[in-house]
Amino acid sequence: MKSWGEALGRSLGAQCSRVGRLRRALVLLAAAACTAAALLYWRQQTNEMGRRPMHNMYTGIEPQWTWICRNDRCERMLATETNTLQSLPTCNMLCASTQLWPQPTGPVSLATAAVPVRADSFTLKVIASPSQDVTDHLNDAFALMREDIHILEKATAGETRRSDIGAVQNVLVQVVVNGSGDPRMRLNTNESYKLVLRPFQNKNNLIVDITARSFCGARHGFETLSQLVWLDPYANSLLILEAATVDDAPRFSYRGLLLDTSRNYFALPEILRTIDAMAACKLNTFHWHVSDSQSFPLRLDSVPQLAQHGAYGPGAIYTMDDVRTVVRRARLRGIRVLLEVDAPAHVGRAWSWGPAAGLGHLAYCVEVEPWSAYCGEPPCGQLNPRNPHVYELLEHIYAEIIRVTGVDDLFHLGGDEVSERCWTQHFNDTDPMELWLEFTRRALKALEAANAGKMPELTLLWSSRLTRTPYLERLDSKNVGVQVWGASRWPESRAVLDAGFRSVISHVDAWYLDCGFGSWRDSSDGHCGPYRSWQQVYEHRPWTEEAPPPGGEASPWRVEGGAACQWTEQLGPGGLDARVWPRSAALAERLWSDRTEGAAADVYLRLDTQRARLVARGVRAAPLWPRWCSHNPHACL
Ligand SMILES: *[C@@H]1O[C@H](CO)[C@@H](O)[C@H](O)[C@H]1NC(C)=O
Ligand SMILES: *[C@@H]1O[C@H](CO)[C@@H](O)[C@H](O)[C@H]1NC(C)=O
Ligand SMILES: *[C@@H]1O[C@H](CO)[C@@H](O)[C@H](O)[C@H]1NC(C)=O
C-alpha cells in the first residue's frame, strides 16, 4: 500500500491527462475536477479488505457470493471461484459510479480505497461559526449523523476484529460556516457546501473539512459524509472512503414532500422517520397538510375547538408539543415545516361549533349531500367568507403556526377547489369568484396581522380557478406564489409564471404519489391513476418543455422548485414508507441536481444504493427490482 505522501508527490498533470482512466472521477467542470482529482491519490482497491478467511456477519454460514469490479461493473461470482471475498456494498462503493444521492452538482472526486471506521471515531470541531445558535445546531446535527452511522454499526455481529481489518480511523470533522447566523431553512438560505476528506499525518487519522454558507449547507455536508460510510457485511465493519472532495449546491431552493394527515392519521414516529428519510435525500420542505374536511387532528392552543370537533379521536391528535418535536427534528435536518391548514374549502366538522359558541356559521355545506354537487370527494365543507369571526380565528391559527414552526418567510394558505355552488346558495347576491377573492384578501390580511404586521416573503396558494386569468392578475405577485398541481399541460403553469408569480410544481400526472390504487368510492369518477413510477417522477422536467418568453425582456420564470404529494385517502401508517420511498428520493435528485439525462443506468445503481441506505436506517422503502438485479445490476439494465 502506498502512502499519502507518495500520492501527493505524483505529477498533477499526469493525473489530469488520464482522467478517463480514473474510475470514479465525475467530471462536471473539467478544470475544477482536474484540480480536485490532483489532490487525491487514486488507487485501485487494496486487497486488504478482500482477504479470506473473513469473520462475517452470517455466523456459521460462509458467504456464497463475491463481487469483483471488472470493466467498471460489479460482477457476481461464486465465492469458491476466487480467493478474494468482497461484499456487494463494498464493490458498489469502490467500483465505477459514485454512490452519492442526490448527485452533487459540482466536481466530485472519490478515492477507490476504503479504510475501517467506527461511529464513535467521528468527532466534530467547529472552526468558525457566525452564531452560537449555528454552533449548537451543528453539534446536534452532527450527533444525529453519528447516530445514523451508529445504526449501521449496530447491524454488525459484534466487536469488530481489528486484527482482521486493520486499525480503525479517527475522523476529525472540521466545519467552517461563513454566512448566515440563522440556522433555519429560509427562502434565501445558501445551501451550498464543500467537503474535503483526506488522510492526515498518519493513516489512522482522517480529516474532513466542510465549508458552507449556512448551517443547512454544513448539514448537507454531514449527510454526504455519511454516504461515504457503509457497512461491509463480510468484514463485519464499517468502512469509509479514504479520500474525497465534493463541491455541491442545489439547483432549486424548494424541494418538498407533502404528507396529508387528515384523510388518515400518522403517528409521530412515522412523521419523524419521514423527516429523516427526507434529510437523507436533501429534501428541505416538509409540507404538512395537517387538516382537511375529513379530520382536523391539530390541537391548537388558541382554537382547541377545531380538534375537539374535528379529530378522529384521542389517538389521532397532534398536540403542540408533538408539532414542536417534529419542527425540532426537521430543523436539525435542514428542513422547514410548512404547516398548512387548508381554507376556505377542504374544511369540515371541525368548524361546526360556531352557532353554539355564539359566533354564527363559520362554515357552510358541512357534510352536505349529494356531496358530488358541492365538492370533489366526501365530505364537503366551506368556510363562511362573510363571517368576521372566521378571519379572527384564522389569525389565531396562523399566528400559532408561525410561532410553532418558526417559519415566517413562507406560508401556505391552501385555497383550492372552492365550490361556487355552495357559496351561491348562501350568498346569491355576489359572484362566488368575487367572494373567493375577497376571502383570499382577508385571509392574507389575517396572515399579515399574525406575522407581526409583515407579509411573509412568499405565500403559496394551490392552483385553481382563482389563479387563472382574469383573477390571477388581481393577486399580488410580489408576495403570492402558486403551487401548481394540475396536469402538466404546461400552459397552466406557464400562465402563472408568465404573469410573474413564483411557483412550486406538483403536477398531478408526475408527482402525485397517491395515484394508481383504484377508487375508494363506489363510483370511480375522479379517481387518480395510473401509478407514477419512480422513473416518471425522476424524468419529469417541465421547465424544459418550452423556452422562457421570447425577447428576454420579461423577467425570467420563477420556479422555486417542486414537491411530491402524498395524499392519504388510501394510505395508513403501515404502508407509508414503501409508498413514499424511493419515489421521493427520485424527486429529490430531480430538484437538487436536475440532470438533463433521464433515468440512466447510473441512476438505477445509485438509487438502489440510496434505497439500501434508507432501509438500513429503518425506512421500509420499496425495492426497485428483484434483489437478483441488485446482485447483477447490469443484467437488468
Ligand atoms: C466569508 O465570506 C466573505 C464573502 O462573503 C469573505 O469576504 C470572507 O473573507 C469570508 N471569511 C472567511 C473567514 O472565510
Ligand atoms: C452560495 O455560496 C457559494 C459559495 O460561496 C457561492 O458560490 C454561490 O454563488 C452562492 N449561491 C447563491 C445562490 O448565492
Ligand atoms: C336569494 O336568496 C334569498 C333568500 O335566501 C331569496 O329570497 C331570493 O329569492 C334569492 N334570489 C335569487 C336570485 O335566487
Side-chain angles (χ1 to χ4, degrees):
M1 205 201 311
K2 297 198 183 86
S3 74
W4 181 249
E6 251 178 285
L8 283 179
R10 297 180 116 191
S11 138
L12 308 187
Q15 287 285 4
C16 289
S17 64
R18 292 204 307 268
V19 162
R21 289 182 50 205
L22 300 178
R23 299 193 315 175
R24 310 196 53 182
L26 185 93
V27 184
L28 293 181
L29 296 172
C34 232
T35 315
L39 291 172
L40 289 180
Y41 169 37
W42 301 90
R43 187 176 58 179
Q44 301 298 308
Q45 285 162 234
T46 69
N47 56 11
E48 191 182 359
M49 238 53 68
R51 264 190 335 243
R52 303 176 77 182
M54 304 295 290
H55 292 265
N56 66 74
M57 291 166 58
Y58 314 108
T59 331
I61 303 174
E62 276 290 300
Q64 294 151 265
W65 306 110
T66 186
W67 281 265
I68 57 166
C69 183
R70 190 184 277 160
N71 302 324
D72 292 347
R73 297 172 168 199
C74 287
E75 286 182 15
R76 189 176 79 166
M77 294 172 69
L78 271 174
T80 49
E81 288 170 357
T82 161
N83 55 13
T84 64
L85 192 58
Q86 177 167 258
S87 69
L88 177 62
T90 296
C91 188
N92 278 337
M93 289 300 294
L94 300 182
C95 196
S97 136
T98 87
Q99 295 297 311
L100 300 177
W101 191 279
Q103 180 70 55
T105 53
V108 175
S109 314
L110 301 173
T112 52
V115 288
V117 74
R118 301 165 61 96
D120 62 13
S121 11
F122 288 81
T123 51
L124 174 69
K125 187 168 168 196
V126 178
I127 306 270
S129 158
S131 71
Q132 188 58 43
D133 210 6
V134 165
T135 305
D136 294 345
H137 277 70
L138 286 170
N139 280 304
D140 292 349
F142 189 78
L144 275 182
M145 181 205 73
R146 285 216 321 195
E147 231 169 81
D148 292 336
I149 295 175
H150 187 60
I151 286 170
L152 287 184
E153 195 167 56
K154 277 195 295 206
T156 60
E159 268 302 284
T160 302
R161 305 278 293 256
R162 289 176 187 230
S163 56
D164 288 333
I165 57 168
V168 168
Q169 304 286 315
N170 293 310
V171 184
L172 177 62
V173 181
Q174 307 186 132
V175 176
V176 172
V177 175
N178 178 10
S180 172
D182 187 340
R184 293 175 294 176
M185 179 60 70
R186 314 283 291 167
L187 286 168
N188 62 1
T189 293
N190 185 325
E191 298 179 69
S192 68
Y193 70 92
K194 197 169 160 98
L195 178 154
V196 178
L197 161 66
R198 59 193 161 86
F200 179 67
Q201 284 179 345
N202 64 59
K203 62 194 186 91
N204 290 342
N205 288 296
L206 296 177
I207 295 260
V208 184
D209 283 300
I210 293 176
T211 49
R213 292 299 194 153
S214 64
F215 159 73
C216 293
R219 190 223 73 88
H220 294 328
F222 294 159
E223 202 67 54
T224 298
L225 175 60
S226 79
Q227 295 191 358
L228 304 176
V229 179
W230 70 97
L231 174 66
D232 185 311
Y234 291 0
N236 198 12
S237 164
L238 296 183
L239 300 178
I240 183 171
L241 291 186
E242 65 167 19
T245 66
V246 178
D247 204 339
D248 201 7
R251 163 85 168 79
F252 290 104
S253 63
Y254 186 112
R255 304 180 305 280
L257 172 64
L258 174 148
L259 180 66
D260 163 13
T261 58
S262 166
R263 272 56 179 258
N264 278 301
Y265 178 84
F266 294 82
L268 214 54
E270 305 272 330
I271 293 179
L272 295 175
R273 199 170 63 246
T274 302
I275 299 272
D276 290 347
M278 288 176 66
C281 302
K282 302 192 178 83
L283 289 169
N284 71 2
T285 304
F286 177 59
H287 181 168
W288 189 351
H289 183 85
V290 70
S291 70
D292 211 292
S293 56
Q294 284 88 349
S295 82
F296 197 109
L298 180 64
R299 184 148 66 205
L300 292 155
D301 291 336
S302 54
V303 199
Q305 296 94 325
L306 293 167
Q308 209 175 315
H309 290 79
Y312 286 135
I317 283 185
Y318 302 108
T319 65
M320 293 317 277
D321 274 341
D322 290 339
V323 179
R324 272 184 279 277
T325 301
V326 171
V327 167
R328 169 76 185 155
R329 176 74 70 97
R331 177 85 49 88
L332 294 178
R333 295 294 203 181
I335 293 170
R336 66 167 76 85
V337 176
L338 189 62
L339 192 59
E340 177 206 354
V341 169
D342 204 346
H346 291 273
V347 305
R349 281 298 289 277
W351 293 85
S352 61
W353 47 276
L359 301 182
H361 284 285
L362 301 172
Y364 285 125
C365 309
V366 172
E367 299 182 2
V368 70
E369 291 289 347
W371 62 265
S372 57
Y374 298 91
C375 58
E377 71 182 45
C380 302
Q382 209 150 284
L383 293 181
N384 176 356
R386 289 270 169 86
N387 184 342
H389 296 302
V390 164
Y391 302 99
E392 286 158 19
L393 292 171
L394 286 178
E395 186 182 324
H396 288 308
I397 295 169
Y398 295 164
E400 202 169 341
I401 288 177
I402 292 168
R403 209 163 44 237
V404 72
T405 61
V407 179
D408 58 6
D409 58 342
L410 178 67
F411 203 82
H412 206 301
L413 279 187
D416 64 330
E417 297 187 308
V418 165
S419 159
E420 295 169 33
R421 181 161 177 177
C422 170
W423 278 350
T424 305
Q425 280 195 346
H426 294 90
F427 311 103
N428 60 8
D429 58 327
T430 310
D431 173 0
M433 289 308 295
E434 293 300 325
L435 273 181
W436 193 353
L437 266 175
E438 182 189 320
F439 172 86
T440 305
R441 291 218 184 88
R442 293 178 74 176
L444 285 166
K445 276 256 167 296
L447 173 60
E448 186 174 23
N451 195 32
K454 189 168 170 289
M455 278 305 292
E457 189 189 324
L458 180 62
T459 299
L460 292 171
L461 293 171
W462 289 105
S463 58
S464 66
R465 197 169 158 207
L466 193 73
T467 61
R468 283 189 222 127
T469 303
Y471 307 105
L472 175 66
E473 291 75 7
R474 295 168 66 188
L475 299 170
D476 186 356
S477 66
K478 219 168 65 242
N479 45 38
V480 171
V482 181
Q483 184 164 8
V484 179
W485 68 273
S488 59
R489 286 168 302 139
W490 188 229
E492 185 194 26
S493 330
R494 215 195 134 136
V496 163
L497 290 165
D498 282 350
F501 285 81
R502 281 175 280 182
S503 85
V504 170
I505 308 277
S506 292
H507 288 149
V508 58
D509 50 352
W511 291 346
Y512 266 35
L513 305 181
D514 56 310
C515 299
F517 294 88
S519 176
W520 51 276
R521 307 187 291 265
D522 59 354
S523 83
S524 69
D525 55 307
H527 87 260
C528 153
Y531 183 84
R532 316 330 187 189
S533 67
W534 74 259
Q535 291 94 334
Q536 280 171 288
V537 171
Y538 189 85
E539 289 176 350
H540 189 54
R541 219 174 156 241
W543 39 84
T544 64
E545 279 173 19
E546 285 181 57
E553 309 214 340
S555 53
W557 287 353
R558 299 157 88 191
V559 177
E560 301 293 305
C565 296
Q566 183 60 70
W567 306 104
T568 57
E569 282 90 347
Q570 294 168 287
L571 188 65
L576 180 63
D577 291 6
R579 195 71 65 83
V580 172
W581 308 102
R583 289 189 295 166
S584 298
L587 177 81
E589 178 156 298
R590 169 53 55 224
L591 295 172
W592 180 282
S593 324
D594 196 30
R595 294 162 23 128
T596 49
E597 313 91 280
D602 85 285
V603 176
Y604 280 79
L605 295 178
R606 286 185 301 105
L607 186 56
D608 197 32
T609 296
Q610 179 71 356
R611 185 250 167 202
R613 266 183 208 119
L614 292 173
V615 169
R617 291 186 191 180
V619 179
R620 300 182 164 201
L624 269 61
W625 48 19
R627 191 162 163 191
W628 187 88
C629 295
S630 301
H631 277 196
N632 304 276
H634 292 279
C636 293
L637 291 171

